Amino acid sequence: MSQKVAVLGTGKIGEALLSGMIRAGWAPADLLVTARRPERAEQLRARHGVTPVTNAEAAKTADTLILTVKPQDMGALLDELAPHVPADRLVISGAAGIPTSFFEGRLAAGTPVVRVMTNTPALVDEAMSVISAGTHATADHLAHAEGIFGAVGKTLRVPESQQDACTALSGSGPAYFFYLVEAMTDAGILLGLPRDKAHELIVQSAIGAAVMLRDSGEHPVRLRENVTSPAGTTINAIRELENHGVRAALIAALEAARDRSRALASGNG
């Protein structure tokens, strides 16, 4: 893989992406990084053998630019990059809520832009990355983005109009599961278990359930019914979940996350 790829604003997710790309076959010599702090850039060089550069150098040198700075910093970064980015560069945005039109309006006419919403399981190579094409991005550009983000998990192409919904489901999704595990751990303590044992029971149950969902091909309702005996413990627990409106609360929560993503996209930060 001889194309040069630059990761700009390399935080935890950016570093996970670099690490995954190297394991997938990218040569460290072909990977460039930028970081706000010089000591962070040197840390990345020492860990991964990649080359720290300035944002302007990355724009001039790399074939693909992956922008991983925070959404509120993206405008300033684009102002810095715009004079140096030729129209044949592929620009990949990892910023939540920012549409491809935001980039296309600030870069050279015709610049291909791909929007990607990934999530924190990229840190353990189990990311869900959702990929959308901008106006000038081709199937080859999308395939290239898939090759990069496929190094840290699974990828899915969607129309950009569905990105806000995907942000609510998978971008923020890990937090919902962490929240649920936190609540179940507290319940385990209430029921008399030590915290460490409650945590182990819940985490392994979550892993097992996730693998079954992924590998069995069964609908989640069927998998739940397989655990739910008549007049048993599980159906009593599910009755309480329904009585407390947990399903409705989840739907409302995801709608709120989607609406916030839309607000960010419209500039109402």
Side-chain angles (χ1 to χ4, degrees):
M1 299 177 185
S2 58
Q3 279 207 343
K4 287 193 178 295
V5 176
V7 180
L8 283 70
T10 313
K12 289 183 178 179
I13 295 294
E15 184 174 6
L17 193 57
L18 285 172
S19 179
M21 291 172 69
I22 291 168
R23 290 192 303 276
W26 269 267
D30 290 330
L31 300 177
L32 312 177
V33 296
T34 77
R36 182 172 295 179
R37 295 178 291 109
E39 59 270 27
R40 171 62 174 164
E42 286 305 313
Q43 184 184 65
L44 293 166
R45 185 206 297 270
R47 285 180 180 170
H48 306 291
V50 296
T51 304
V53 293
T54 66
N55 290 330
E57 288 170 338
K60 295 173 185 176
T61 307
D63 302 288
T64 301
L65 305 174
I66 305 175
L67 312 186
T68 62
V69 301
K70 295 178 180 177
Q72 60 266 31
D73 297 329
M74 192 62 78
L77 176 61
L78 289 175
D79 288 342
E80 184 181 354
L81 294 177
H84 308 291
V85 180
D88 62 349
R89 295 288 190 268
L90 171 60
V91 175
I92 299 176
S93 165
I98 301 183
T100 55
S101 59
F102 181 89
F103 300 87
E104 293 166 349
R106 288 162 173 79
L107 298 172
T111 300
V113 179
V114 172
R115 178 176 171 183
V116 180
M117 180 72 247
T118 193
N119 58 16
T120 55
L123 298 170
V124 292
D125 290 348
E126 291 290 350
M128 183 68 252
S129 300
V130 183
I131 297 175
S132 301
T135 305
H136 310 292
T138 66
D140 286 343
H141 293 131
L142 286 173
H144 186 52
E146 286 174 333
I148 292 171
F149 283 84
V152 292
K154 190 172 182 178
T155 64
L156 179 69
R157 293 188 195 185
V158 301
E160 190 171 8
S161 61
Q162 295 177 0
Q163 275 279 356
D164 293 323
C166 292
T167 297
L169 281 170
S170 65
S172 300
Y176 313 145
F177 292 105
F178 299 147
Y179 181 87
L180 181 61
V181 168
E182 177 189 1
M184 290 177 69
T185 301
D186 287 345
I189 294 168
L190 179 66
L191 296 174
L193 291 169
R195 177 176 293 276
D196 60 339
K197 287 185 170 58
H199 180 79
E200 184 174 358
L201 288 166
I202 294 159
V203 170
Q204 183 56 39
S205 295
I207 292 169
V211 171
M212 290 180 72
L213 279 167
R214 185 190 64 193
D215 296 347
S216 70
E218 295 279 4
H219 193 282
V221 169
R222 176 62 61 84
L223 293 173
R224 178 180 60 76
E225 288 176 343
N226 290 341
V227 188
T228 309
S229 303
T233 59
T234 305
I235 193 61
N236 275 273
I238 288 172
R239 180 186 63 184
E240 289 302 313
L241 291 173
E242 294 291 354
N243 287 342
H244 286 80
V246 172
R247 187 188 303 264
L250 280 170
I251 293 171
L254 268 67
E255 286 181 325
R258 178 208 58 195
D259 293 346
R260 179 58 180 157
S261 183
R262 287 177 175 173
L264 290 171
S266 64
N268 298 322

